[in-house]
């Protein structure tokens, strides 16, 4: 192994290789501190050529590679697992961001660029990259693409996939494939970039991306509304779609319990009370007249009786304060100790029955556990997290099976936006039809015949045989 490490040092230089256990530690545990693993070294290449050469050496010596961006993933995808000799390949030194093209609506960024920074660069020239999530101050472009991240603006703008015009990737044998063409239309052959979007590092390393921008909007209205039940929330979604549909950029759900956690754990105060559920509604537009449209819609909403209480932000500062309530839910949950994350999507009309059945099952199975429900109602994605409290750890599998079995019955997905990582791999295997498993494993074997990319994550391979 010493000659392998010497080879890596020659390729990456002293700044590009970490072998000291204390310095490696932050790269070997995930954001939730739920998973940890071991690695021979952490690689921090400075450019694509170094990524390529390092991967070539790993392939030659049979060492597996765990790609890592900002390490904010919620499925353990960036943490080494299992006994195979492996290295973590961090993109944290590859952070260059190109000058945006404001008319062609394109920006180029290296994979390690932080999402928030890319958004700021786009905003400086009046353009917008509308991928928004609470982790955007640490999450990287490579990680966002590799997880096909969602976030709070999906109902208007789509997921990360919808913003990727081109990719540069390094394959598991070290080959660099450059697809950085700023084209909206390109049907010349397979659109292979889609294999890498949402692949969770199982097919290769994303080293750079060309991202689609949209014109910046000049007006935004943000409201926090309290409603009694989910049916009222869904009816309101319909009302907003009818009245101001194309401007609706977020329609987020927060349970009263989740909001209370934000208040008690993070010290924030909600200006709205009453109701079992809260809705964070945002509309944006470049045209004048947005606030009049939102106000008129809110008046109708109150007159229907579906809204118990509510507030419309009068200033940008108030808008940000309302958003902070939503953005702190994950942090508040993390401060409550161990929790199980269930990141599900299902048709909106099935959500009420689905949550009732989980609540009922949980009461019998784990009375000390508390549900922490919130999410992206506007695009059908709920986070049905369970804070374990004094629940015996041995109950975790049964709780997760309860949620996922109900989701399967409702025709939903067990991973709407966070991916499988190592967290949901077994559940995906349990609930996925044989033909789909075979197809996915076949693609994995074709892309990564030596199974060196991110073993044990995202797709089953020789390291976790079926
Ligand atoms: P990492 O965590 O480092 O890696 C994630 C996965 O991508 C791993 O499998 C890793 O191997 C792979 N990977 C990383 N970089 C590369 C690369 N360059 N090439 C190939 N593979 C790579 N997610 C949402 O979708 N929506 C949300 O609303 C949301 N909110 C969040 C809020 C909080 C507070 C936190 C902590 C997380 C949230 N997440 C959310 C999850 C997370 O932020 C996203 O999954 C994000 O896309 C991960 O980016 P990252 O750079 O941190 O990736
Ligand atoms: C969010 O929407 O805030 C995250 O994706 C959810 C989570 O922390 O479970
Ligand atoms: Zn989410």
């Amino acid at each position: 192994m010493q000659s392998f490490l010497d080879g890596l040092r020659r390729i990456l230089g002293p700044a590009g290789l970490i072998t000291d256990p204390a310095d490696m530690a932050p790269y070997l545990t995930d954001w939730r501190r739920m998973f940890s693993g071991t690695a021979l070294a952490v690689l921090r290449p400075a450019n694509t050529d170094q990524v390529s050469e390092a991967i070539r050496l790993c392939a030659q010596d049979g060492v597996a590679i765990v790609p890592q961006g900002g390490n904010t993933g919620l499925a353990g995808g960036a943490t080494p697992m299992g006994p195979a000799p492996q290295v973590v390949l961090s993109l944290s030194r590859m952070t260059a961001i190109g000058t945006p093209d404001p008319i062609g609506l394109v920006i180029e960024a290296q994979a390690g660029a932080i999402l928030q920074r890319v958004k700021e660069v786009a905003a400086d020239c009046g353009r917008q990259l509308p991928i928004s999530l609470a982790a955007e101050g640490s999450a990287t472009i490579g990680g966002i693409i590799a997880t096909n991240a969602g976030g709070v603006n999906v109902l208007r703008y789509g997921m990360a996939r919808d913003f990727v015009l081109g990719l540069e990737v390094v394959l598991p044998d070290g080959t660099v494939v450059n697809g950085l063409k700023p084209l909206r239309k390109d049907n010349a052959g397979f659109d292979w970039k889609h294999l890498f979007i949402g692949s969770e590092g199982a097919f290769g390393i994303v080293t750079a991306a060309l991202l689609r921008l949209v014109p910046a909007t000049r007006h935004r209205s943000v409201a926090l509304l309290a409603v009694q039940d989910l049916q009222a929330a869904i009816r309101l979604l319909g009302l907003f779609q009818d009245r101001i549909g194309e401007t609706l950029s977020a329609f987020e759900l927060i349970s009263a319990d989740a909001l209370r956690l934000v208040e008690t754990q993070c010290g924030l105060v909600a200006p709205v009370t009453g109701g079992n559920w809260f809705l964070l509604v945002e509309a944006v537009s470049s045209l004048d007249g947005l606030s009049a449209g939102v106000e008129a819609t809110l008046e109708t909403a109150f007159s229907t009786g579906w809204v118990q209480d509510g507030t419309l932000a009068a200033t940008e500062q108030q808008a940000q304060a309302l958003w902070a309530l939503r953005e702190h839910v994950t942090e508040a949950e993390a401060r409550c100790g161990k929790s199980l994350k269930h990141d599900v999507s299902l048709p909106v009309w099935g959500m009420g029955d689905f949550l009732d059945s989980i609540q009922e099952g949980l009461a019998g199975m784990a009375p000390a556990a508390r549900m922490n429900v919130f999410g992206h109602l506007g695009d059908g994605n709920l986070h049905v997290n369970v804070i374990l409290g004094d629940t015996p750890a041995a109950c975790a599998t049964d709780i997760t099976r309860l949620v996922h079995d109900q989701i399967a019955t409702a025709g939903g997905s067990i991973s709407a936006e966070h991916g499988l990582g190592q967290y949901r791999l077994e559940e995906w295997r349990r609930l996925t039809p044989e033909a789909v498993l075979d197809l996915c494993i076949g693609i994995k074997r074709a892309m990564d015949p030596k199974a060196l990319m991110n073993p044990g994550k995202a797709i089953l391979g020789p390291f976790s045989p079926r």
Side-chain angles (χ1 to χ4, degrees):
M1 257 329 128
Q2 195 50 49
S3 68
F4 170 69
L5 293 177
D6 290 344
L8 285 175
R9 198 167 284 110
R10 267 195 301 278
I11 295 166
L12 302 169
L17 189 71
I18 305 176
T19 50
D20 178 75
D23 295 338
M24 278 168 55
Y27 299 86
L28 301 179
T29 303
D30 71 319
W31 186 86
R32 296 173 65 204
R33 304 197 174 284
M34 189 168 188
F35 302 101
S36 55
T38 56
L40 300 172
V42 174
L43 284 47
R44 296 180 69 235
N47 54 48
T48 301
D49 286 345
Q50 288 190 1
V51 174
S52 165
E53 279 189 63
I55 298 263
R56 223 177 270 286
L57 185 61
C58 290
Q60 182 192 301
D61 286 15
V63 174
I65 301 126
V66 182
Q68 190 175 99
N71 202 14
T72 67
L74 296 174
T79 310
M81 83 167 285
Q86 50 202 304
V87 293
V88 171
L89 192 149
S90 163
L91 282 298
S92 52
R93 286 173 76 207
M94 294 176 56
T95 58
I97 302 171
T99 306
D101 173 353
I103 310 291
L105 293 170
V106 180
I107 191 167
E108 182 172 338
Q110 280 187 314
I114 302 293
L115 173 61
Q116 188 176 321
R117 189 68 203 114
V118 180
K119 291 172 70 159
E120 285 165 0
V121 172
D124 285 346
C125 71
R127 299 297 178 259
Q128 206 188 337
L129 177 62
I131 304 174
S132 301
L133 35 105
E136 66 189 45
S138 305
T140 61
I141 293 301
I144 294 281
I145 291 170
T147 55
N148 186 26
V152 298
N153 294 141
V154 170
L155 96 154
R156 172 152 178 188
Y157 296 107
M159 297 183 71
R161 182 183 302 281
D162 297 293
F163 290 92
V164 180
L165 294 179
L167 288 182
E168 179 190 75
V169 300
V170 176
L171 300 180
D173 66 357
T175 305
V176 179
V177 186
N178 186 328
L180 294 173
K181 284 188 188 175
L183 306 177
R184 305 290 156 130
K185 302 178 81 172
D186 182 5
N187 276 349
F190 297 130
D191 200 350
W192 54 266
K193 65 175 180 282
H194 288 290
L195 274 176
F196 291 85
I197 304 169
S199 66
E200 300 185 72
F203 295 154
I205 307 285
V206 173
T207 45
L210 272 177
L211 300 166
R212 182 172 73 83
L213 300 176
V214 299
T217 46
R218 289 187 300 120
H219 307 288
R220 95 162 163 166
S221 292
V222 177
L224 183 68
L225 308 176
V227 298
Q228 204 53 42
D229 53 39
L230 223 44
Q231 291 299 100
I234 295 166
R235 287 202 187 96
L236 280 172
L237 175 59
L239 177 70
F240 277 93
Q241 283 164 344
D242 288 345
R243 299 292 176 87
I244 55 158
E246 74 279 12
T247 68
L248 202 56
S249 54
F251 199 90
E252 295 285 301
L253 181 76
I254 315 171
S255 67
D257 287 345
L259 195 59
R260 205 161 304 126
L261 277 190
V262 170
E263 293 186 316
T264 53
Q265 298 293 329
C266 303
L268 304 184
V269 180
V272 173
T273 52
N276 293 319
W277 298 95
F278 292 83
L279 297 169
L280 200 290
V281 184
E282 181 188 81
V284 293
S285 178
S286 296
L287 301 177
D288 295 341
L290 178 73
S291 58
V294 171
E295 279 164 28
T297 309
L298 285 176
E299 270 173 36
T300 309
F302 275 100
S303 70
T304 56
W306 297 335
V307 180
Q308 311 287 302
D309 187 14
T311 183
L312 177 63
T315 61
E316 181 55 27
Q317 202 182 3
Q318 285 178 11
Q320 285 174 16
L322 293 183
W323 264 115
L325 295 166
R326 167 63 183 89
E327 283 163 355
H328 278 79
V329 178
T330 301
E331 180 64 41
E333 180 188 298
R335 292 182 191 189
C336 294
K338 283 215 176 325
S339 65
L340 304 174
K341 284 200 182 282
H342 305 108
D343 166 37
V344 303
S345 58
L346 71 164
V348 283
W349 290 112
M351 286 179 177
D353 288 347
F354 164 72
L355 289 176
D356 286 348
S357 63
I358 304 301
Q359 184 72 68
E360 200 181 307
L362 206 56
M365 175 182 286
R370 278 185 294 163
M371 280 167 78
N372 188 37
V373 181
F374 61 103
H376 318 289
L377 180 62
D379 62 46
N381 176 190
L382 291 180
H383 297 302
V384 187
N385 299 342
V386 176
I387 298 170
L388 288 172
D390 291 334
T391 307
C395 294
T397 305
D398 288 343
I399 295 172
T400 289
R401 285 185 171 213
L402 166 77
V403 177
H404 289 170
D405 285 347
Q406 294 297 333
I407 267 299
T409 306
S413 166
I414 65 162
S415 176
E417 58 174 9
H418 294 165
L420 299 174
Q422 51 184 294
Y423 189 47
R424 299 191 177 88
L425 195 52
E426 285 308 311
E427 281 293 271
W428 177 70
R429 185 167 74 157
R430 183 173 74 84
L431 294 165
T432 302
E434 197 84 355
V436 177
L437 290 178
D438 287 345
L439 177 65
C440 294
I441 293 165
I443 296 170
K444 166 75 175 173
R445 292 204 169 121
M447 295 292 296
D448 180 20
K450 292 185 175 169
L452 291 177
M453 290 308 306
N454 220 359
K457 328 285 176 45
I459 289 176
L460 304 177
F463 283 111
S464 49
R466 281 172 64 193

